[in-house]
Amino acid sequence: MRYSFVIPIYNRPDEMDELLESLSCQSYTSDFEVVVVEDGSTIDCKDVIAKYKERLNIAYFYKKNSGPGDSRNFGMRQAQGDYFIILDSDCIVPQQYLSKVDAYLKEEYVSCYGGPDKALDSFSNIQKAINFSMTSFVTTGGVRGGSEKLEKFQPRSFNMGISKEAFEISGGFGNIHPGEDPDLTIRLWNLGFKTKLFPEAFVFHKRRIDWNKFSVQVNKFGKARPILNARYPEHAKLTFWFPTVFVLGAAISLVLAMVGFTYFLGLYLLYFTILFVTAAWVEKSFLIGFLAIFSTIIQFYSYGTGFAISYYRIFIMKLKPELAFPELFFKI
């Protein structure tokens, strides 16, 4: 089986340099391909690509901007392999990554897999705090999917693989973003393909974001979920409401505390104390523990409000998603 890494990128040459360096150090001994798709960047990575021409079997394509989903599809159509591995440009790949993937697929072949993400010691404190909020079992992350069943797993497009057959039959990613990865996964299930979590096939996900960008990103995640629930009601879960209920409960608890009833506010304080202790212990830093509280508040508030607004527009107002949230859809 021949593997092709497919990596869309937009104005991030420094990230591509780090990612290609990590790919050039893989312990996997057979040949593999790297397909880089420049998605209409104004700051391209041609010079970075040239730097690795002698160390990697690499193909580079430039196209007009049409979003990450369409760029991944473009890259898979150009790729020469029979199994495509999709990475975000802000990832760094451990040396054993491809060897782990190959071993998993030889043990039990699946047409689509996903892997978790972790943080490197070199990441900033904010990046580590955000990573904790997005992956910890005490928030909504679970290990970026690790809390889900190993079978029937929904891969995330920052670290996923899909067979050439599954791509061609499914048509690949749709034009919604974010939300294109669960959308593709559910369509694969409906076509009879299996997905699975590969726990040891993790990447270091840099998340090149600040607090504001994190808030905007997670808010879009919240907006996308009701759209997917409307498309695939059989896969809607009550747990998707958790951030919204959490935020609403916090507001009610504050109001009740103002009139002397502090019990529920105390439960929230207990939760954030547990969150702080866990983050400080895991990251070995009191500072990151405090930052994790802040990042989790942003995560729950941004996702929860986005979900509530989207639910209202999609299910109550009965608006078409493309009209309700045009910013979530790329024109292809």
Side-chain angles (χ1 to χ4, degrees):
M1 184 155 52
R2 190 184 183 203
Y3 299 101
S4 294
F5 286 93
V6 176
I7 309 162
I9 187 165
Y10 181 73
N11 289 344
R12 301 286 178 175
D14 291 342
E15 287 181 355
M16 184 55 65
D17 195 3
E18 290 182 312
L19 176 51
L20 292 180
E21 177 63 33
S22 68
L23 287 174
S24 70
C25 298
Q26 290 297 292
S27 61
Y28 184 75
T29 54
S30 298
D31 182 49
F32 63 88
E33 176 189 31
V34 180
V35 178
V36 177
V37 181
E38 193 91 63
D39 186 26
S41 299
T42 56
I43 308 172
D44 66 49
C45 60
K46 288 181 182 177
D47 292 342
V48 174
I49 300 301
K51 177 180 173 182
Y52 291 93
K53 279 287 188 180
E54 301 299 319
R55 300 168 63 184
L56 289 167
N57 178 8
I58 190 167
Y60 173 74
F61 300 92
Y62 187 97
K63 53 178 278 299
K64 69 176 184 178
N65 181 252
S66 59
D70 185 56
S71 295
R72 297 180 191 114
N73 292 342
F74 178 91
M76 287 186 280
R77 287 193 293 269
Q78 312 306 316
Q80 301 300 307
D82 46 28
Y83 208 101
F84 309 134
I85 299 174
I86 299 161
L87 300 174
D88 278 356
S89 63
D90 59 345
C91 290
I92 297 172
V93 182
Q95 187 176 22
Q96 76 282 1
Y97 177 86
L98 189 50
S99 296
K100 291 286 187 182
V101 169
D102 187 61
Y104 275 120
L105 289 174
K106 285 179 178 176
E107 180 180 357
E108 183 181 355
Y109 182 87
V110 289
S111 297
C112 182
Y113 77 85
D117 58 341
K118 298 185 178 182
L120 277 171
D121 290 340
S122 59
F123 288 3
S124 71
N125 288 333
I126 290 178
Q127 287 173 323
K128 290 177 181 177
I130 290 174
N131 181 79
F132 180 86
S133 296
M134 294 291 283
T135 62
S136 174
F137 70 95
V138 297
T139 61
T140 60
V143 187
R144 193 65 163 166
S147 62
E148 300 179 42
K149 295 178 181 178
L150 296 185
E151 311 291 342
K152 210 71 175 175
F153 173 70
Q154 290 190 4
R156 276 69 168 178
S157 52
F158 66 85
N159 176 17
M160 70 177 292
I162 181 172
S163 69
K164 182 177 182 178
E165 177 191 24
F167 165 67
E168 291 179 341
I169 292 176
S170 68
F173 294 95
N175 67 329
I176 187 173
H177 177 73
E180 70 272 28
D181 24 20
D183 175 73
L184 173 57
T185 298
I186 294 170
R187 286 190 285 111
L188 289 172
W189 291 343
N190 292 340
L191 289 166
F193 292 103
K194 292 184 177 180
T195 61
K196 192 172 184 180
L197 171 66
F198 289 177
E200 295 183 26
F202 62 87
V203 298
F204 299 110
H205 198 183
K206 198 167 188 179
R207 306 186 193 283
R208 31 66 163 134
I209 47 183
D210 54 29
W211 294 124
N212 183 62
K213 290 179 181 178
F214 179 54
S215 176
V216 171
Q217 180 186 58
V218 178
N219 184 256
K220 287 183 177 181
F221 290 159
K223 290 176 179 176
R225 180 53 68 178
I227 296 173
L228 297 175
N229 289 349
R231 286 184 183 178
Y232 312 107
E234 69 276 17
H235 294 288
K237 299 177 182 178
L238 284 175
T239 51
F240 295 152
W241 281 92
F242 176 75
T244 303
V245 173
F246 186 94
V247 172
L248 182 61
I252 293 172
S253 297
L254 287 171
V255 172
L256 290 175
M258 292 172 66
V259 296
F261 191 76
T262 60
Y263 176 77
F264 291 109
L265 184 60
L267 292 178
Y268 275 88
L269 293 175
L270 175 62
Y271 168 75
F272 283 116
T273 300
I274 294 172
L275 176 69
F276 165 76
V277 171
T278 305
W281 175 266
V282 170
E283 298 294 339
K284 298 178 175 57
S285 168
F286 287 119
L287 175 58
I288 296 176
F290 282 113
L291 292 174
I293 294 175
F294 191 54
S295 63
T296 301
I297 291 172
I298 292 174
Q299 179 192 21
F300 283 1
Y301 177 80
S302 299
Y303 186 102
T305 54
F307 183 95
I309 292 169
S310 181
Y311 183 89
Y312 175 76
R313 293 183 184 178
I314 301 301
F315 285 93
I316 307 301
M317 299 295 294
K318 305 294 184 182
L319 297 177
K320 290 184 177 181
E322 292 83 355
L323 296 177
F325 301 104
E327 70 274 16
L328 300 184
F329 294 89
F330 280 89
K331 293 182 180 180
I332 298 175

